[in-house]
Amino acid sequence: MKAAALGNPRVVAAQLLRQLAAGRSISDLLEPGLDAVAPRDRGLVQEFCFGVARWRPRLERIAGQLLSKPIKPREGEVQALILLGLYQLIYMRVAPHAAVAETVEAARLLGKTWAVGLINALLRRFQREREALLAAADADPLSRYAVPGWLYQRIRRDWPDHWEAILQATNEHPPMSLRVNLAANSREQYLALLAASNIEATPIPRVPSGLILGKPMDATELPGFAEGRVSVQDGGAQLAAPLLDLRPGQLVLDACAAPGGKSGHILESAPVRLTAMDLEPRRLERVRQNLARLGVTAEIVPGDAADPRGDWGARQYDRILLDVPCSATGVMRRHPDIKLLRREGDIAALVRTQGHILQAVWPLLKPGGRLLYATCSLLAEENEGQVARFLAQTADARERPIEAELGHPRAPGRQTLPGEATMDGFYYACLEKI
């Protein structure tokens, strides 16, 4: 690879996309990967990586029609450059001649001289046959919605009246959502603070702490962010703390707490005694950082919610938030690589894990206490199916129906859907111990 390749945004993006295809997440890749480019190019590399991940099934379908034979697996960077070139021509405002020339140059910088002519010819042919190629891609729903077949089938099954809107929404750019710290300032006061900084924002309807920014920005540049007056959090995630119906002095367990967004909201909502627990000790550092910025404190402990041990596992709690590991299919707008990384076989294993955690944590809830079961999944077996099974098997558990205008009633629980009222897809079910 030529020295000039260092820091080239298309070269860096191709290298990251090759690793994404090998099973690594965008979030893990970008943290070190962006250090390789100048600050002015970091947003461009992010757009390349998220955009190709979001539309990869569609881009691969089009590339397949333009290639006489598949690119060999060991040439992952060349495959990534082909998809990156198509993404620029279809979805970005890059001048077509520049998109082609810069992508071809990236192949040359990577030392892939054999692919220079191939990429150039393929992208130019796409320009000539654009309308026919896009029409052919859209004739196949898996390509049109850029979704794997197994997920397409499950969403159609679980959401027969909403599946098309869901799949369309998962390919949209999500808004940047904020949670105003209502213990530090009202939403109106913070809106005024934003206005004084010429930052446009609007309230999220029926989410008292929620705001949507007119355009995304670096969170650290938000007024009052360092002082804990505001946090970045989707409106759907902001529903959790109010559903717990918190009271001062209650003992509360956030059983799968990292990275700490919901823990922070709990402590902003009421002066409770919170234990924030997570399986991965390194992720608990994020919880500590988030709570420190907000100026709140909690007991932060490593532990396995499926096997409660130690002091935290010997207590009885008034409230438990159980935000279980899930398929994350409700947040694909923000994490489009989920469509590439998640496999159909993962779902059964996740459902088993969720069931084990629910059974293990339930004895920690006081009689009369409330447990909020939460996922960011769209799949019924992780959501209402999971909770219905638990209720059928657990004599001292009953559902407390969620009375809210947001989202869709399920049996049991309630679900928000991607794109509706600006939110991502979250499932909640309130359970009480008799």
Side-chain angles (χ1 to χ4, degrees):
M1 184 170 68
K2 298 181 180 179
L6 299 175
N8 180 289
R10 287 168 179 80
V11 168
V12 172
Q15 293 170 326
L16 296 177
L17 288 166
R18 175 181 57 79
Q19 295 178 74
L20 172 62
R24 296 188 62 192
S25 74
I26 292 178
S27 298
D28 288 345
L29 292 169
L30 281 177
E31 190 169 347
L34 290 180
D35 290 340
V37 296
R40 68 178 182 276
D41 290 328
R42 289 174 183 172
L44 184 60
V45 172
Q46 286 181 295
E47 170 67 14
F48 288 157
C49 290
F50 279 96
V52 171
R54 179 173 286 112
W55 290 106
R56 190 173 190 116
R58 191 168 193 251
L59 298 172
E60 287 181 334
R61 166 69 180 259
I62 295 168
Q65 293 179 282
L66 293 166
L67 288 165
S68 58
K69 59 182 180 180
I71 301 296
K72 293 178 180 179
R74 68 172 181 268
E75 297 291 354
E77 289 167 342
V78 172
Q79 175 73 3
L81 283 175
I82 290 171
L83 301 182
L84 179 54
L86 291 171
Y87 176 73
Q88 294 170 82
L89 292 172
I90 299 170
Y91 297 107
M92 293 185 70
R93 295 180 179 177
V94 179
H97 70 276
V100 174
E102 293 293 338
T103 304
V104 168
E105 178 62 15
R108 187 176 287 109
L109 291 172
L110 281 165
K112 306 293 184 180
T113 54
W114 66 268
V116 167
L118 170 68
I119 294 173
N120 183 64
L122 183 147
L123 296 180
R124 293 189 182 282
R125 182 182 163 197
F126 171 78
Q127 290 178 281
R128 294 193 302 271
E129 302 176 20
R130 177 188 178 103
E131 297 308 318
L133 288 164
L134 293 178
D138 287 342
D140 177 0
L142 303 188
S143 171
R144 182 165 70 250
Y145 298 115
V147 65
W150 70 267
L151 185 56
Y152 172 79
Q153 294 295 339
R154 286 180 185 237
I155 290 178
R156 285 203 65 166
R157 178 195 66 191
D158 292 348
W159 296 96
D161 297 327
H162 301 88
W163 67 269
E164 193 165 13
I166 290 171
L167 293 176
Q168 288 174 341
T170 60
N171 289 322
E172 295 171 356
H173 286 261
M176 185 170 176
S177 307
L178 305 181
R179 184 190 77 238
V180 177
N181 182 352
L182 299 181
N185 43 204
S186 70
R187 182 162 66 176
E188 291 70 26
Q189 288 172 327
Y190 193 74
L191 276 168
L193 195 61
L194 290 174
S197 299
N198 295 315
I199 300 172
E200 181 185 350
T202 54
I204 301 176
R206 296 183 291 279
V207 180
S209 55
L211 293 174
I212 293 291
L213 287 184
K215 60 181 180 180
M217 61 183 294
D218 188 326
T220 60
E221 296 178 2
L222 289 166
F225 181 81
E227 296 76 31
R229 297 181 69 172
V230 70
S231 299
V232 178
Q233 189 179 45
D234 183 77
Q238 295 180 46
L239 301 177
L243 288 172
L244 285 166
D245 189 30
L246 299 163
R247 298 286 185 271
Q250 285 180 331
L251 200 59
V252 180
L253 173 66
D254 186 349
C256 303
K262 295 184 179 71
S263 292
H265 197 191
I266 286 169
L267 291 166
E268 291 170 3
S269 302
V272 299
R273 293 173 292 162
L274 177 68
T275 296
M277 187 275 296
D278 201 87
L279 181 61
E280 297 184 37
R282 69 176 183 84
R283 296 188 71 211
L284 288 173
E285 184 56 33
R286 288 283 307 280
V287 179
R288 291 188 182 92
Q289 293 170 357
N290 283 327
L291 298 189
R293 182 181 61 81
L294 294 171
V296 294
T297 58
E299 178 189 36
I300 300 173
V301 295
D304 184 354
D307 185 20
R309 297 186 183 187
D311 290 345
W312 74 268
R315 301 188 190 118
Q316 292 274 289
Y317 296 90
D318 300 287
R319 298 286 187 269
I320 297 176
L321 172 59
L322 198 57
D323 192 355
V324 295
C326 71
S327 64
T329 45
V331 294
M332 291 186 291
R333 295 191 307 170
R334 300 187 190 279
H335 305 282
D337 51 344
I338 290 166
K339 294 190 288 186
L340 310 177
L341 301 175
R342 189 69 66 214
R343 298 289 184 267
E344 184 173 17
D346 298 340
I347 306 305
L350 284 165
V351 169
R352 286 193 296 272
T353 298
Q354 294 156 2
H356 292 157
I357 291 174
L358 190 48
Q359 292 284 353
V361 168
W362 185 252
L364 308 186
L365 186 66
K366 291 179 182 178
R370 178 180 298 190
L371 181 148
L372 181 65
Y373 178 89
T375 79
C376 55
S377 170
L378 299 169
L379 305 182
E381 58 201 291
E382 298 184 83
N383 296 340
E384 60 265 31
Q386 184 74 262
V387 175
R389 284 190 297 274
F390 177 77
L391 289 171
Q393 297 166 3
T394 311
D396 61 348
R398 67 181 178 191
E399 180 195 10
R400 183 180 182 91
I402 297 172
E403 298 177 0
E405 295 181 32
L406 290 168
H408 298 260
R410 307 303 275 169
R414 201 166 187 95
Q415 175 93 47
T416 64
L417 294 179
E420 291 187 348
T422 77
M423 297 182 185
D424 288 332
F426 288 89
Y427 172 81
Y428 295 106
C430 287
L431 306 179
E432 292 184 331
K433 182 172 281 191
I434 302 171

